[in-house]
Each structure stands twice: as structure tokens, then as C-alpha cells.
Amino acid sequence: MDVSSSSSSPQGGYDVFPSFRGLDVRQTFLSHLLNEFERKGINTFKDSQIKRGKYISPELKQAIRESRICLIILSKNYASSSWTLGELVEILESRKASGKTVMTVFYDIDPSHVRKQSGEFGMAFRKTCERKTEHQKQRWKQALTNVAGILGEDSHKWFGPLLETLCYHYPITIYIMSQRFSLLRDNEADMISKIAKDVSNELNFTPSRDFDYLVGIEAHLANMTSLLCLESDETRVVGIWGPLGIGKTTIARAIYNQISRSFQRSLFMDNVKRSYRCGGDSDNYTLKLRLQREFLSKILDHKDMEIHHLGTAQQRLKYQKVLVVLDNVDKLEQLQALANGPPWFGKGSRIIVTTDNKHLLEAHKIKHIYEVKFPSKDEALKIFSQSAFTQNAPPEGYLNLAVEVTELTSHLPLGLCVLGKALCGESVSMWTDQLPRIKTSLNRDIEQVLIVGYNGLDDKDKTIFFHIACLFEGKRVDCVTQFLGNSGLDIKYGLGVLVERALISILSDKLIIMHRLLRQMGREIVRKRSIQLSMRCRFLMGACYMYHVVADNIGTGAVLGTTKVSLTNEKALSGMHDHQCIRFCRHMVDKGSKLAKLVWDGISVLVLSMFWLLRCAFLSIMSMPTAAFEHPFWKLKKRLSHLKPSKEVNCCVDVARS
């Protein structure tokens, strides 16, 4: 290659190494291309100060190795130099050894002439091969055959139609020649702009280190790679499922960055849910049409694309190997508009869908689903430390506090990162001061993410969500169905919805588990609503708050449930006529003159409580210590013979009104 400028190597190497031959290329096409590279901030190798000889110099070999992309500009004179052919061999060897990105431009030459070494190109090649060894000639010939197979820009595709048009409309030769060159320059400028854009995009696609230091990312990528089965030619759709804030999008981005260069076209379409809802109140078909138009415009790089039916995506992509990530999908209609099945895409295509709704994946018949699990205790502490201290472990004096905050997030990556950033740079004393608020209040940034899952529920499922957040977390499924079985809430179906939305999980022993931050969010929503409704509380939680409601007898008919209540005033709950669930605690510390200590061994207190319970006409379930049921009181009160025994064992008394 030959072009004027310095050959000094910048730190980190070059973006592009151009390989070319001939003054005709250097003074016209290449000079304009280098100007466009410079305008786009692309650092290009230039070798005017390197002395040429029979063999490629060590400096040139180093420049090839240090460049991220090698751009080979093949022209009629390219094979007229043994130096240039040596460059080509070195470039292709680097491509084979290290995966070097190689791009081609066929400038005023047919790619078949390069592949077969024919025409003017072949004549120049044969002249260069004179007095060369057979081994050398075969190496060059194989290199030319290989480089001709690399897809690239062909100038004939830009200029050919133009020349045909000119010759048809302007048969007078001199007129053709006078008009042709300005039009050709315009077409060449368009081609140069396209090449520069492609090079810039390719530079952006080179392997990044953005996700290298994410805790646990190696295991996630290994699991995803296994599910994607990239060696197969089948078209495969893989779902990534898990609760909000678990890191689904991060995992999808990491795998996308790792494998996208292996596909003809690739697109990471973030927040599909938001794009779909931007359509406003349009009908369902219009929303899907608009979403598909946005999708095709991006993956085909075609601005303002117009489509008229939903089959367009299949027509345009069914022969192309594509990688598509559809992030944050929440409706089946979105998948129907963007990826309605493997036949829409070419062989070897991979579609990745992230969602917090497992039912959506199953309904779309996606068989390969990766469930993202919570990080381990050690991984959670490391994630938090990276966010709070920009290192992998807490510094001296912070360990116990960091462990406590980590446990408060129940290892949710979103919570770990948000709280870590909020506490970053604070002193130990400030951490200590902020802990009480972290324990009782949900960080706004965390809430804004988690609330999305709640908002996607219908009213009945929201009610079940509240009951679990406020009363039944950690309880068995049969306990919940007993208490709420006649509530009209479709408990079994509703629990299934909450599981599919990753808002709860049900263990093998049928215990219901809700993440601490989700539980905190649910209770916070209840608290805010009670304030808005002038203390018309639906659930009473927290000893101090319930103490005032119960002791001052200010409860309203809106109350559905309370937790850990100490009852000494038989009128305290009389106004709460809609009460469905009460949980009494075993002991309650004396709060002053209004409330005495409640101890189940104290017969007078127990009997006082039972007189109030007798007024619950719909009382059907009660759970108490065995000793309490042996009290003579129960033998005297036949009205309670309809009560069912409850298997609830984690509280001393549970009462439910169905």
C-alpha cells in the first residue's frame, strides 16, 4: 500500500489498515474514503515512510496485527505488486489465527476476475508471478481466491445502472462524457459514505469488555450458549425469564455482544413494551403494524420504512440469518408482530426474548427458557461491593454493615446496585444512620422498577398480591386457600399468575415465598392508600401503628387483615366489620396504660378475646396452641362447633372470616 502520512503507531493500535495498489485508487477513491474516516473519528494506518522492498516489512506486519479491521481495496492493478500480495497473505493469516475482521471493496473490477485471476487482473497477476517459486505463486493464488469470497462493496453495483441509463438516453458520446463524471462522483460519494458507515458499525461490534467484570456473568453466558445451540442450523427462540431487577436485560446484552458478529443481521430491540404502548389508543392490529415497522426499519437499516401487512417481516427475513433480542416483552401480541415463529427467519437464526411473564413464553410455544436465579450470598456481597466501594469486597470497618444491607435486598441485583450507589462514599456513621430507613422504606429507584410487575396484574390478582405481602408470605398454599377460599378471588389461578410473573415462588413443600423488596413494596402501597383514604386501612401492619389503631379503637370497616395484634379491648375491633383475618401474637410488651401485656397463660385475657370472637358470625377457621383449646371455655361455647382446625403453626391464633 502507499499513501502519504506518518506511520507512527498510536497507543492501542489502529482502527483500520487499508490494503490497496495504484495511483488511480490512491488519488481518487482512497483519498476521499480516508477523509470520510477522519470525519467519523476512525484512526487509519498510513505507511508513506515505510521503505518498500521485495518482502513485507516487520513494521507492516505489526500494523496489521494492531489494526482492528483490515480493508482490502481490490482494483485491476492490485495484483501487480508482490508487496501488496504479501500484505494480503499476512492479513488472511491474521484473520485465520485471531479472527481479524476483514472487509473488501471491489473497485471497478468484477469479483469473479479476482477469484479466477482472469481479465486485466489476471494479466497483472501472471506478470507479478514471473520468476517466483511455485510455492509463492500458490500462496498468492489461494489468498486471492479466498478474499474474493468475502462479501463487500462492488462499485459496479453503484455505477453500472447509471452508465446504462446514460448510454440509453445520451447516445452522443461527447455529451455522455461531459455529463457522466459529475454524476459518477455523486454515486462514488454515496458508496464511500456507505463504506465508512459499515466500518464504523463494525468497529462498534468488535468484542467489548463491558460485561467482563459482572459477577456471575460467565455462568449465565455458558447456560445461554448451551440453550442457543449455535452450532445448529435450526432457527431457535430462547426465553429469559425471572423477576424484575434480576438482570435479564444485562444477560441478554452480554450474550448479544458476544455472538452478534456471527449473523448477517442483528438487532437488540430494547423495551418492546414501551415501544408497543407508544401507539396510544390505536386498535390492536395498528399497534402490531407500527411495532413491526419500527423493527424492520432498524434491522434492515431502512429509515421511514412503510409496511402494509404483518407478513412483511417474514418476506424480508426468511432467507437471512439474524440475531434478534426482544427485551422486556409483556404481551403476546408483541411476539406475534415481531417473531411469530421460526419460519419467519432464515436458517441458523436466533431470537432471544426477555420477560417476567413465563406464561407468555409458554403461550408462544417457546420451549427453551432460561430461568435467572438469585445470586449466592457471596456473589450478592460482591455485587453490592462493586457498586458501593468500586471493588470486590467491603473495606475495613464496613463488612458487617455491607452484609446487613445485602441481606435487606434479599440478593436482588437491582437492589444491590441501587443501594450500593446510594451509600457510595458515605462514612460508617452515615451508613448506620441510614439503615433504619432502608429497613422500613423502599428506595424510589427500586420501587419504580418493581411496581411495573404489580401494575401488570388485574384487580383480583393485585388483591391476592396484597394478602401475601401483608399476611401470608412464608405460609403454605393450603393456608391461603382456606382463608380466602370463599372470597371470589380465584385463589389457585391467582397464585399461578403471581408465580408466572415471578412475583412469588412456591417451594416444593408448598410454602409461598415473596421477595422482601416486593413484600415491602406491597405494604408501602397499602400504607399510602390508607393515608389517601383518611386512615381507612385495608391491612394493619407493624406493632406501633396497629397499637394506636387497636388501642384507640379507630379501625374502620375497610380493614381486611392485621398481623401480630395484642387484643385486650373487646371494642377495639368492633368497628372493623369487614375483617377477614387476624393474627394474634404470643406476647406483647406493655405499651402503657392503654394496653396490658398479653400472655396466653392469662385466662382473663384469653376469655376476653374469645367473647369478641363469638361475635364473628362467619368465623370458620381458627389456629391456636393446643393448650389453648383445652381451656374449659371451649366446652361451654357450642356456637364455635363449626370451626375447622387449621394447620397453621407459625402463629398463636389465626382467625379468618370467609
Side-chain angles (χ1 to χ4, degrees):
M1 61 170 289
D2 48 304
V3 71
S4 59
S5 193
S6 170
S7 63
S8 59
S9 172
Q11 184 177 3
Y14 305 93
D15 291 329
V16 177
F17 179 95
S19 176
F20 69 97
R21 174 67 177 172
L23 291 175
D24 55 333
V25 174
R26 182 186 65 185
Q27 294 178 349
T28 55
F29 173 77
L30 184 64
S31 62
H32 297 309
L33 181 60
L34 294 180
N35 287 336
E36 187 68 13
F37 282 169
E38 185 175 356
R39 193 179 69 83
K40 289 184 176 294
I42 297 172
N43 181 33
T44 308
F45 172 78
K46 302 171 186 178
D47 74 338
S48 63
Q49 294 183 4
I50 293 179
K51 293 183 179 180
R52 293 179 174 270
K54 292 183 179 180
Y55 305 103
I56 184 171
S57 67
E59 294 94 334
L60 214 57
K61 290 183 179 181
Q62 181 181 356
I64 290 172
R65 288 193 299 267
E66 291 179 347
S67 298
R68 297 168 66 185
I69 295 175
C70 289
L71 179 65
I72 302 173
I73 304 170
L74 295 151
S75 62
K76 294 175 182 178
N77 293 321
Y78 186 86
S80 64
S81 165
S82 58
W83 174 285
T84 309
L85 292 172
E87 276 183 4
L88 177 63
V89 170
E90 185 69 25
I91 289 170
L92 294 183
E93 286 181 351
S94 179
R95 179 179 187 243
K96 183 178 180 180
S98 62
K100 176 78 66 183
T101 299
V102 177
M103 302 177 70
T104 58
V105 176
F106 297 91
Y107 187 74
D108 196 23
I109 188 171
D110 192 318
S112 66
H113 290 176
V114 178
R115 183 171 56 256
K116 300 176 183 178
Q117 296 91 54
S118 59
E120 290 184 52
F121 185 90
M123 292 173 59
F125 175 68
R126 286 188 289 274
K127 186 174 182 180
T128 306
C129 288
E130 292 176 359
R131 295 185 297 276
K132 299 296 188 299
T133 66
E134 189 63 28
H135 174 70
Q136 184 74 288
K137 288 188 286 186
Q138 288 302 319
R139 289 186 71 197
W140 289 346
K141 188 173 183 177
Q142 187 62 50
L144 290 170
T145 302
N146 291 343
V147 77
I150 300 175
L151 291 176
E153 287 298 332
D154 184 351
S155 64
H156 287 161
K157 292 182 179 179
W158 293 83
F159 303 148
L162 175 63
L163 291 175
E164 290 176 6
T165 301
L166 288 170
C167 289
Y168 177 80
H169 289 288
Y170 307 104
I172 303 176
T173 304
I174 190 168
Y175 187 77
I176 293 176
M177 298 305 295
S178 66
Q179 296 294 317
R180 187 176 65 184
F181 293 114
S182 64
L183 294 172
L184 285 176
R185 281 195 299 270
D186 290 341
N187 272 36
E188 184 168 290
D190 291 339
M191 184 177 73
I192 287 171
S193 178
K194 173 69 163 52
I195 293 169
K197 181 180 178 182
D198 289 344
V199 168
S200 180
N201 288 337
E202 187 65 31
L203 288 170
N204 295 336
F205 278 129
T206 51
S208 75
R209 301 180 63 86
D210 294 347
F211 303 95
D212 287 1
Y213 304 104
L214 292 181
V215 178
I217 194 65
E218 298 88 355
H220 290 306
L221 292 179
N223 291 331
M224 280 297 297
T225 301
S226 176
L227 280 176
L228 287 167
C229 194
L230 296 171
E231 62 274 13
S232 171
D233 283 338
E234 69 170 319
T235 298
R236 178 172 289 202
V237 184
V238 175
I240 302 180
W241 173 68
L244 292 161
I246 196 73
K248 301 183 295 295
T249 299
T250 301
I251 295 169
R253 284 194 182 280
I255 194 69
Y256 178 85
N257 279 15
Q258 186 181 80
I259 68 174
S260 59
R261 295 179 65 203
S262 302
F263 296 81
Q264 289 176 276
R265 295 186 181 276
S266 56
L267 173 66
F268 191 105
M269 192 166 182
D270 61 336
N271 210 337
V272 172
K273 174 174 63 177
R274 181 178 59 194
S275 298
Y276 185 72
R277 290 178 179 171
C278 285
D281 297 328
S282 302
D283 64 271
N284 189 44
Y285 185 81
T286 302
L287 287 173
K288 291 197 286 187
L289 205 62
R290 184 181 288 112
L291 188 64
Q292 187 177 117
R293 180 168 61 243
E294 179 186 345
F295 166 69
L296 287 175
S297 295
K298 290 178 178 179
I299 198 168
L300 297 175
D301 193 21
H302 183 165
K303 279 188 176 182
D304 303 321
M305 186 174 185
E306 291 294 330
I307 66 172
H308 304 287
H309 59 85
L310 293 173
T312 307
Q314 182 177 9
Q315 292 174 352
R316 298 297 303 273
L317 300 175
K318 64 182 177 181
Y319 298 117
Q320 300 197 45
K321 181 182 178 182
V322 302
L323 171 65
V324 176
V325 175
L326 303 176
D327 177 53
N328 198 14
V329 173
D330 73 336
K331 290 185 179 298
L332 192 60
E333 290 83 358
Q334 295 158 9
L335 291 177
Q336 292 170 346
L338 302 177
N340 201 30
W344 275 30
F345 309 99
K347 289 183 179 180
S349 293
R350 293 294 181 270
I351 314 300
I352 299 172
V353 180
T354 76
T355 182
D356 58 357
N357 187 350
K358 189 176 183 180
H359 173 71
L360 186 149
L361 299 175
E362 294 170 341
H364 202 59
K365 295 181 172 51
I366 297 175
K367 299 177 181 178
H368 309 284
I369 300 175
Y370 178 50
E371 180 181 355
V372 186
K373 302 288 188 180
F374 283 91
S376 66
K377 183 177 180 180
D378 291 340
E379 288 175 331
L381 182 59
K382 192 174 181 180
I383 293 170
F384 177 75
S385 297
Q386 287 182 352
S387 187
F389 311 113
T390 63
Q391 58 189 47
N392 290 332
E396 186 178 352
Y398 283 88
L399 178 59
N400 292 336
L401 289 168
V403 169
E404 187 172 358
V405 175
T406 299
E407 291 303 315
L408 288 174
T409 66
S410 297
H411 301 175
L412 184 70
L414 169 70
L416 294 167
C417 293
V418 170
L419 291 182
K421 290 175 183 177
L423 294 168
C424 183
E426 300 286 5
S427 64
V428 172
S429 60
M430 285 295 293
W431 277 51
T432 305
D433 291 341
Q434 291 189 49
L435 268 178
R437 174 167 289 189
I438 293 174
K439 291 178 180 179
T440 58
S441 301
L442 190 62
N443 179 281
R444 181 178 297 179
D445 292 337
I446 298 174
E447 183 179 13
Q448 286 177 347
V449 175
L450 298 184
I451 196 71
V452 174
Y454 163 80
N455 288 337
L457 300 173
D458 64 25
D459 291 341
K460 285 187 176 182
D461 295 332
K462 285 179 179 178
T463 301
I464 297 173
F465 175 83
F466 285 141
H467 275 87
I468 294 173
C470 299
L471 300 172
F472 297 118
E473 198 279 333
K475 305 301 177 185
R476 291 173 56 87
V477 171
D478 55 1
C479 174
V480 179
T481 54
Q482 277 184 313
F483 277 108
L484 301 176
N486 296 324
S487 62
L489 292 176
D490 301 323
I491 302 302
K492 185 177 180 180
Y493 176 81
L495 290 176
V497 170
L498 297 183
V499 169
E500 289 171 345
R501 299 290 179 89
L503 294 172
I504 64 170
S505 57
I506 298 177
L507 305 183
S508 57
D509 58 359
K510 300 302 180 181
L511 283 180
I512 298 173
I513 302 299
M514 178 179 283
H515 191 276
R516 182 186 178 280
L517 295 179
L518 285 169
R519 191 166 68 248
Q520 196 172 358
M521 180 193 73
R523 294 183 174 190
E524 184 67 12
I525 294 173
V526 169
R527 186 190 67 81
K528 290 178 180 178
R529 286 186 174 181
S530 69
I531 293 174
Q532 294 170 355
L533 296 172
S534 303
M535 299 304 292
R536 291 178 58 83
C537 313
R538 303 290 285 176
F539 297 89
L540 304 180
M541 297 154 295
C544 293
Y545 182 60
M546 288 185 292
Y547 161 69
H548 290 294
V549 174
V550 175
D552 292 337
N553 193 19
I554 61 174
T556 71
V559 176
L560 293 177
T562 57
T563 62
K564 296 183 179 178
V565 177
S566 176
L567 181 66
T568 55
N569 178 1
E570 64 174 304
K571 295 182 180 180
L573 300 177
S574 60
M576 306 182 194
H577 50 75
D578 282 340
H579 223 96
Q580 292 183 359
C581 179
I582 311 168
R583 180 167 298 148
F584 296 93
C585 63
R586 186 184 301 270
H587 298 285
M588 187 74 173
V589 178
D590 191 353
K591 294 289 184 179
S593 59
K594 292 184 179 180
L595 193 62
K597 194 178 291 185
L598 174 60
V599 182
W600 284 114
D601 294 335
I603 296 175
S604 61
V605 175
L606 177 63
V607 173
L608 179 63
S609 301
M610 293 308 107
F611 273 115
W612 179 83
L613 292 173
L614 286 172
R615 299 177 184 177
C616 299
F618 298 96
L619 181 65
S620 61
I621 303 171
M622 181 175 292
S623 175
M624 298 175 64
T626 304
F629 277 106
E630 293 174 354
H631 192 276
F633 173 85
W634 300 103
K635 298 177 181 179
L636 298 175
K637 300 298 178 181
K638 295 182 179 179
R639 282 187 61 188
L640 300 181
S641 60
H642 63 288
L643 292 179
K644 305 175 191 174
S646 170
K647 296 179 182 179
E648 185 68 46
V649 294
N650 292 333
C651 57
C652 295
V653 174
D654 280 74
V655 179
R657 202 185 100 184
S658 55

